[in-house]
Amino acid sequence: MPQTSVVFSSFLGPSCSGQVQPGMGERGGGAGGSGDLIFQDGRLISGSLEALMEHLVPTVDYYPDRTYIFTFLLSSRVFIPPHDLLARVGQICLQQRQQLEAGPEKAKLKSFSAKIVQLLKEWTEAFPYDFQDEKAMAELKAITHRVTQCDEENGTVKKAIAQMTQSLLLSLAARSQLQELREKLRPSAVDKGPVLKAKPPAAQKDILGLCCDPLVLAQQLTHIELDRVSNIHPEDLMQIISHMDSLDNHRCRGDLTKTYSLEAYDNWFNCLSMLVATEVCRVVKKKHRTRVLEFFIDVARECFNIGNFNSMMAIISGMNLSPVARLKKTWSKVKTAKFDVLEHHMDPSSNFCNYRTALQGATQRSQMANSSREKIVIPVFNLFVKDIYFLHKIHTNHLPNGHVNFKKFWEISRQIHEFMTWTQVECPFEKDKKIQSYLLTAPIYSEEALFIASFESEGPENHMEKDSWKTLRTTLLNRA
């Protein structure tokens, strides 16, 4: 991922404007050029898929804007598989080469070949996993074979192709090894240790016995967040959209075919919420339970200060789960002013307006930061995905004239670019292996066990709770 992230940043720079850069050349303009591209104030806003593919391929006098290269390679998979796109690129290259060979500009053939290799280099660096597909690798070999025929004298192009191929194979090998390791660890990584159906022995260590400093725990949570999110690639996020079109209106995002990285990161949020609820409900004494609640409130506040909004939201969600929220006697002893502030930040009204304001502030701080501490921005991942989802749903892929609505994909690319920039930040905090091990492997209660522990701590207070408690006890007796 570090390689992909760095390449992504170099592609789009500080912004993803889509403006044609001076000296890059411009292929097409208005309805001219490659025939089917529409520009507005120097920015490409729409075009036929064929014209967009042609716009990707360099000519003797033109090389595409790097922001365009990335945005099109990222978004094109909604319309065409990468191996088919590569095949079309190869066809366009061959046509241009044949024209050069037959015309007066044959001397420029070598320059054209170098530009093609540069395009392929940028593609393989930004999206190396497109080439896991055998068809894509075969197309790549076919294109590079044609290109090397123009470089028989000094071998400059051949050398560049060899370096590109070596880097690509290393990236693919690293990815393969990582996937194998993840598959071996998958049960523990996804299930996050044992899920308990009853209380563990009282002697078992709890979070306060391991760490009593909210800032330290928030820092360790940030370590885990950055480690997990760094495994997410731009194409993983685009997959959310590419699979969306095949879903009917009654299926939610959970039904999507997800990569393991997305699945693991989603699961981490849920497990952290359940861990918080477990740590509260497992405590027998009300005084200690109050301390645990106040501790997690402080941890969430430190996460907010760091810019780790995902962990903050997970902690708040854990404390708002019914088995915890119903503990009125415990909550009556908690100083809830801090918790009220946190809930204000995560108030869902007006499309999480307060959270978005805080996120914008953290983003501005990150952009102006001189230290890694100030650069940390970890958004609430589910909200980020929903933003991409709704951006996709409210804007069509195609305009009435049949053009690809490229203005939409500029915006999606901009948001993914911003997210990927945040994943590049190196965590500046010292790692505590004991605390991280506890956070990742500590047993968590099942939903049923949470309610049992909650009712044992504070008995049912209304008819609904009494019925629930009665049902739970009947279930336990039948098991016995």
Side-chain angles (χ1 to χ4, degrees), residues 20 26-30 37-46 55:
V20 177
E26 182 174 343
R27 182 177 187 165
L37 298 177
I38 302 299
F39 288 83
Q40 187 177 73
D41 299 325
R43 187 184 189 192
L44 177 60
I45 59 170
S46 73
H55 194 60

Side-chain angles (χ1 to χ4, degrees), residues 191-430:
D191 295 335
K192 193 183 176 293
V195 176
L196 303 180
K197 295 183 179 178
K199 282 191 174 184
Q204 183 174 317
K205 188 180 292 185
D206 64 6
I207 192 68
L208 283 178
L210 187 68
C211 176
C212 59
D213 187 339
L215 176 59
V216 171
L217 192 66
Q219 291 174 344
Q220 298 312 305
L221 287 170
T222 303
H223 256 296
I224 294 171
E225 292 278 356
L226 288 173
D227 180 61
R228 293 291 173 97
V229 81
S230 69
N231 292 319
I232 296 175
H233 302 271
E235 60 269 33
D236 296 335
L237 297 170
M238 205 66 191
Q239 180 178 284
I240 294 168
I241 291 174
S242 61
H243 285 281
M244 204 173 289
D245 291 328
S246 63
L247 301 176
D248 60 59
N249 294 329
H250 301 289
R251 296 173 71 187
C252 64
R253 195 179 71 81
D255 295 316
L256 295 178
T257 302
K258 296 185 290 186
T259 66
Y260 176 71
S261 297
L262 293 177
E263 183 182 359
Y265 196 49
D266 263 347
N267 183 72
W268 157 247
F269 180 96
N270 297 329
C271 288
L272 179 55
S273 295
M274 293 297 284
L275 176 63
V276 170
T278 299
E279 291 292 325
V280 174
C281 291
R282 64 183 290 201
V283 178
V284 176
K285 295 183 179 179
K286 183 170 62 179
K287 186 176 180 180
H288 187 50
R289 205 159 50 241
T290 302
R291 281 185 58 209
V292 173
L293 272 173
E294 290 181 336
F295 174 72
F296 276 117
I297 291 171
D298 287 337
V299 172
R301 188 176 64 162
E302 294 295 351
C303 286
F304 177 84
N305 293 336
I306 289 171
N308 181 359
F309 299 106
N310 201 55
S311 288
M312 173 191 171
M313 178 66 102
I315 293 170
I316 293 173
S317 297
M319 290 190 285
N320 280 327
L321 289 174
S322 295
V324 179
R326 65 165 298 278
L327 298 172
K328 294 179 181 178
K329 293 177 183 178
T330 303
W331 279 103
S332 68
K333 301 296 182 181
V334 175
K335 298 173 184 177
T336 57
K338 295 175 185 176
F339 187 68
D340 294 339
V341 171
L342 293 174
E343 289 211 303
H344 171 75
H345 287 308
M346 294 300 173
D347 183 357
S349 61
S350 300
N351 193 22
F352 289 89
C353 178
N354 297 336
Y355 158 70
R356 294 183 188 282
T357 301
L359 179 63
Q360 185 178 13
T363 301
Q364 291 173 348
R365 179 188 67 184
S366 178
Q367 291 169 348
M368 301 172 64
N370 296 317
S371 67
S372 295
R373 260 172 206 265
E374 296 173 326
K375 289 181 181 179
I376 295 171
V377 182
I378 305 172
V380 179
F381 188 62
N382 282 336
L383 290 181
F384 172 77
V385 169
K386 285 179 181 178
D387 286 345
I388 298 292
Y389 174 90
F390 284 114
L391 183 60
H392 172 68
K393 294 300 286 184
I394 64 177
H395 298 289
T396 59
N397 287 344
H398 292 94
L399 301 176
N401 64 357
H403 277 195
V404 172
N405 182 7
F406 209 68
K407 190 174 183 180
K408 162 185 173 175
F409 291 104
W410 279 127
E411 179 57 24
I412 291 175
S413 179
R414 183 194 67 78
Q415 292 195 22
I416 291 179
H417 162 250
E418 189 170 50
F419 180 85
M420 298 307 299
T421 300
W422 294 332
T423 70
Q424 295 177 43
V425 176
E426 186 176 346
C427 191
F429 309 122
E430 186 177 348

